[in-house]
């Protein structure tokens, strides 16, 4: 998928989170709820994160240069990693600190009904963002589970937005529960407990995202289905006797490098070798659209001959 689908999901999340952040801060000022403040900080972090994702897409679109001959596509992976780091350092740690303080020094909530109304509205806006991310991700997801998509996708932005929106919806539910329990029990400690729970949730999501983005940043290869398609394209090309080895790596979500060594007949003319390589490259690109750079090294087939065949010869 091109960056356009990811951009739609990012922009939808940015607009939704900006509006949600304003509403939550208003709710905090009116109610004094720590859970509301933690959720407001969470929305500010998410809004900043979407801006970073858009910046990463713009940086990745730069043309190759002498210092970066393969282009800047990995910028999308780098800025997605930064997003996960920001989510942990700002969102999670702030919520954990605020929750700890509110448990030590509980503060009575004022106008809790206002907080509940704002949280319900925020859930509606966040659901819109989440549904947009799901709609843009579904063509890439295929028949697999959503967890498998998040773990295996070479697109960094859509899993980030999906997980952020999921964490936001769960966080809103926790904040709503915390405010509700504080009102029902008359004990404001529940507000601090809910804030702590939001902090733990954000920390778990952030660490998971950092792990996944780190894997993409250092370079992941083709998916199993793509690897099989590339091998089939090479092995079905005329004059290629055998695929000796294959190496693949994603520079970015839509840019894959393919390096292969193939065995050809020793008496094949140079022009035929060149034509074979061109045919193999065309077959690979037809099989996997994200392949951009291909290096094919021709070699002789040095497969050892079994002893039984040598004796017969």
């Amino acid at each position: 998928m091109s960056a356009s689908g990811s951009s739609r999901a990012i922009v939808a999340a940015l607009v939704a989170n900006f509006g949600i952040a304003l509403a939550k801060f208003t709710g905090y000022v009116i109610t004094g709820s720590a859970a509301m403040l933690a959720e407001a900080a969470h929305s500010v972090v998410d809004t900043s994160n979407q801006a970073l994702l858009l910046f990463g897409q713009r940086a990745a679109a730069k043309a190759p240069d002498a210092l970066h001959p393969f282009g800047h596509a990995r910028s999308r992976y780098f800025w997605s990693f930064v997003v996960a780091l920001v989510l942990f350092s700002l969102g999670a740690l702030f919520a954990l600190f605020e929750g700890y303080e509110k448990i030590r020094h509980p503060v009575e909530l004022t106008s809790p009904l206002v907080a509940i109304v704002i949280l319900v509205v925020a859930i509606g806006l966040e659901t819109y963002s989440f549904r947009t991310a799901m709609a843009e991700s579904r063509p890439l997801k295929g028949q697999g589970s959503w967890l498998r998509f998040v773990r295996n996708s070479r697109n960094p932005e859509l899993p980030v937005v999906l997980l952020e929106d999921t964490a936001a919806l769960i966080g809103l539910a926790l904040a709503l529960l915390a405010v509700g329990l504080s009102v029902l029990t008359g004990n404001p400690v529940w507000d601090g407990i809910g804030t702590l729970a939001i902090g733990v949730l954000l920390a778990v999501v952030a660490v998971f995202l950092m792990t996944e983005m780190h894997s993409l940043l250092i370079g992941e290869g083709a998916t199993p289905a793509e690897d099989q398609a590339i091998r089939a394209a090479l092995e079905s090309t005329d004059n290629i006797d055998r695929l000796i080895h294959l190496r693949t790596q994603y520079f970015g979500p839509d840019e894959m490098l393919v390096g292969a060594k193939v065995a050809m007949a020793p008496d094949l003319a140079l022009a035929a070798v060149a034509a074979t390589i061109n045919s193999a490259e065309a077959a690979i690109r037809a099989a996997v659209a994200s392949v951009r750079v291909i290096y094919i090294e021709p070699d002789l087939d040095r497969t050892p001959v079994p002893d039984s065949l040598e004796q017969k010869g």
Side-chain angles (χ1 to χ4, degrees):
M1 172 184 280
S2 65
S4 60
S6 299
S7 297
R8 282 190 291 271
I10 296 170
V11 170
L14 189 151
V15 172
N17 281 309
F18 181 75
I20 292 169
L22 291 178
K24 289 175 181 175
F25 271 120
T26 302
Y28 165 69
V29 171
I30 295 173
T31 66
S33 167
M36 183 69 78
L37 178 61
E39 273 300 302
H42 177 191
S43 293
V44 170
V45 169
D46 281 353
T47 304
S48 303
N49 285 346
Q50 270 91 58
L52 288 174
L53 292 176
L54 290 173
F55 179 81
Q57 288 190 340
R58 184 172 181 178
K62 292 180 181 178
D65 52 41
L67 188 60
H68 305 94
F70 288 106
H72 300 76
R74 276 211 177 101
S75 292
R76 292 172 69 177
Y77 295 149
F78 171 76
W79 287 108
S80 296
F81 180 83
V82 171
V83 162
L85 192 60
V86 169
L87 185 66
F88 178 79
S89 59
L90 296 183
L93 295 183
F94 176 82
L96 290 170
F97 173 77
E98 190 67 21
Y100 173 73
E101 286 296 311
K102 284 302 184 288
I103 290 175
R104 288 183 60 202
H105 308 291
V107 178
E108 292 290 338
L109 301 183
T110 58
S111 303
L113 182 60
V114 173
I116 292 173
V117 171
I118 290 174
L119 289 171
V120 170
V121 171
I123 288 174
L125 291 173
E126 203 66 64
T127 300
Y128 158 74
S129 172
F130 182 66
R131 287 172 62 88
T132 302
M134 287 185 67
E136 297 298 337
S137 302
R138 195 166 280 113
L140 294 177
K141 176 178 134 347
Q143 299 300 316
S145 67
W146 284 105
L147 178 60
R148 183 177 178 181
F149 166 71
V150 171
R151 292 295 306 272
N152 296 333
S153 176
R154 303 308 191 256
N155 181 305
E157 296 94 0
L158 289 175
V160 168
V161 174
L162 278 171
L163 284 176
E164 279 189 347
D165 287 348
T166 300
L169 285 170
I170 296 173
L172 287 166
L174 289 172
L176 194 60
L177 180 63
V179 171
L181 287 174
S182 296
V183 173
L184 290 174
T185 64
N187 187 353
V189 169
W190 284 109
D191 188 43
I193 294 174
T195 308
L196 272 181
I198 292 169
V200 172
L201 170 68
L202 295 181
V204 170
V205 172
V207 171
F208 179 82
L209 276 176
M210 280 190 280
T211 302
E212 293 301 314
M213 293 307 119
H214 170 260
S215 180
L216 289 170
L217 189 58
I218 62 176
E220 289 190 0
T223 64
E226 290 169 339
D227 183 87
Q228 185 177 0
I230 293 170
R231 290 177 183 275
L234 284 167
E235 291 168 350
S236 64
T237 301
D238 292 340
N239 295 324
I240 291 181
D241 297 332
R242 186 170 64 90
L243 173 60
I244 298 173
H245 70 71
L246 175 67
R247 300 289 185 271
T248 61
Q249 187 173 109
Y250 267 96
F251 294 139
D254 310 304
E255 299 184 31
M256 189 199 302
L257 165 71
V258 173
K261 178 179 281 191
V262 296
M264 297 184 185
D267 57 349
L268 203 61
L270 180 59
V273 171
T276 299
I277 291 175
N278 289 336
S279 296
E281 290 179 349
I284 290 171
R285 289 193 171 97
V288 181
S290 59
V291 174
R292 292 290 181 271
V293 182
I294 303 174
Y295 295 110
I296 298 178
E297 178 184 352
D299 200 353
L300 300 179
D301 194 345
R302 295 185 174 87
T303 305
V305 180
D307 292 341
S308 59
L309 294 181
E310 287 181 345
Q311 293 172 1
K312 289 181 181 179

